Amino acid sequence: MTVTLDDIRAAAERIRGHVVETPLVRDEALSARLGQPVWLKCEYRQTTGAFKLRGATNAILSLPPAALARGVVTASTGNHGRALAHAARALDVPATVCLSRLVPENKVQAIRDLGAAVRITGASQDEAMQEVARAVAQQGMTEIPPFDHQAVVAGQGTIGLEIGTPEAVLVPLSGGGLAAGIAVAVKALSPGTRVIGLTMENGAAMAASLAAGRPVEVAETASLADSLGGGIGLQNRVTFPLCRDLLDEVILLTEAEIAQGIRHLGRAGHVVEGAASVGAAALLAGKVVPQGPTVIILSGANIDPALHARIMAEAA
Ligand SMILES: *Cc1c(COP(=O)(O)O)cnc(C)c1O
């Protein structure tokens, strides 16, 4: 195993005080409806609005002092970019985020507001990634990738130490850092617990890769679960093998089911993004049938408020 329970326990020690231990609250409506206790791990209430602060903080705190002085770099515009920028500022480490010209100005400003240096180059995510490679080669910065990295996976896995030993854990799945980390912790502490990965029907790279038996690319399509988009990397080293070996099942959700999940959680006062609603969506759609206490990971809050309001106003 490239990441172990000991790595996750060490990560928990390292990041203590730098991240929030988010609440685990019972979903009364789902519990009553399904006849089994359903618990929500409210990681959308993490600082920066998503669990990614755990992995980013653990990765930075795992670097030697000389590397810290040269700084960290990523090409992520989403929750990982925000988390890395925030963690770096909190730890007094320089951070750079490389973005393409296509990234909208509000996202660029959000990264700047978190104190990171922004480099805008090229017209695609690939070109932004090439700029990251240059910063590593020429300036000695350390790349902290969003998921395929042992310290990042160990950091995300600390959530698995905070959810008890349920019958099943439902985890949003994209690059697999969250699912792999939680699966390592949970399977070590409670081998009988099912760990189920959830993602959208269209453009789910990890699901396609697990089906193919090797990392593959898929065409990207727009989804309410935008944080679950993107590839897993054809050279994936860490998260593909862990997800292959540890996930009991991967379940795909339609856009209508994801919207239903957002609405259900929104009515209970949990304003979450599409990626965070897939566990509730799977239970509501009957695609996962709970056989005992079930924990859903609510992974992030970063949804456009106007989009959230529109989904809440839709019927059903
Ligand atoms: C990144 C992210 C995920 C998926 O995590 P992976 O480690 O890439 O599988 C799920 N939900 C939210 C809100 C995220 O930001």
Side-chain angles (χ1 to χ4, degrees):
M1 239 14 121
T2 50
V3 179
T4 66
L5 178 60
D6 282 345
D7 296 330
I8 293 170
R9 288 190 165 134
E13 285 297 316
R14 233 177 257 125
I15 69 178
R16 193 187 314 279
H18 297 288
V19 305
V20 175
E21 186 168 329
T22 54
L24 187 63
V25 304
R26 201 175 143 107
D27 185 320
E28 297 300 346
L30 270 181
S31 301
R33 177 165 165 172
L34 299 170
Q36 298 288 357
V38 176
W39 297 88
L40 308 175
K41 177 63 169 163
C42 295
E43 203 54 30
Y44 73 94
R45 287 166 61 177
Q46 187 57 258
T47 308
T48 69
F51 70 89
K52 289 210 171 63
L53 189 64
R54 293 175 184 254
T57 302
N58 188 48
I60 293 176
L61 289 174
S62 301
L63 291 173
L68 292 178
R70 290 190 297 266
V72 294
V73 61
T74 187
S76 163
T77 62
N79 287 331
H80 174 66
R82 297 164 66 124
L84 190 69
H86 178 91
R89 182 162 67 178
L91 299 168
D92 212 14
V93 172
T96 302
V97 181
C98 301
L99 306 173
S100 86
R101 282 196 304 280
L102 301 183
V103 174
E105 183 51 35
N106 62 328
K107 279 199 169 185
V108 176
Q109 194 54 44
I111 300 271
R112 281 205 179 99
D113 289 347
L114 288 166
V118 168
R119 274 192 208 171
I120 298 178
T121 46
S124 69
Q125 180 66 11
D126 278 353
E127 288 181 63
M129 297 287 289
Q130 287 163 21
E131 186 62 25
V132 169
R134 268 193 293 280
V136 169
Q138 295 172 7
Q139 291 166 276
M141 292 187 196
T142 301
E143 181 185 4
I144 309 290
F147 52 87
D148 197 33
H149 182 285
Q150 282 167 270
V152 171
V153 171
Q156 322 304 29
T158 58
I159 293 168
L161 306 178
E162 300 173 13
I163 58 174
T165 54
E167 190 277 321
V169 187
L170 310 189
V171 189
L173 175 66
S174 176
L178 179 64
I182 289 177
V184 168
V186 164
K187 292 288 184 184
L189 295 167
S190 173
T193 295
R194 290 187 291 158
V195 182
I196 301 172
L198 302 139
T199 190
M200 67 282 192
E201 246 177 21
N202 301 320
M206 183 62 86
S209 299
L210 292 171
R214 65 187 160 80
V216 295
E217 281 173 339
V218 295
E220 278 219 42
T221 47
S223 170
L224 288 174
D226 56 328
S227 289
L228 301 184
I232 70 162
L234 292 177
Q235 309 301 323
N236 187 296
R237 290 182 316 111
V238 181
T239 59
F240 174 76
L242 287 172
C243 288
R244 179 191 61 204
D245 295 348
L246 297 176
L247 296 187
D248 291 272
E249 219 180 327
V250 173
I251 289 174
L252 307 181
L253 285 312
T254 66
E255 293 300 301
E257 288 164 348
I258 292 168
Q260 188 70 38
I262 292 174
R263 269 193 297 277
H264 167 83
L265 292 163
R267 285 190 207 110
H270 304 284
V271 177
V272 300
E273 53 181 284
S277 82
V278 288
L283 290 176
L284 289 164
K287 289 185 168 176
V288 172
V289 179
Q291 291 156 27
T294 300
V295 171
I296 304 180
I297 311 296
L298 303 187
S299 52
N302 293 320
I303 186 167
D304 171 21
L307 173 62
H308 192 267
R310 205 152 62 234
I311 293 169
M312 292 306 294
E314 280 166 18

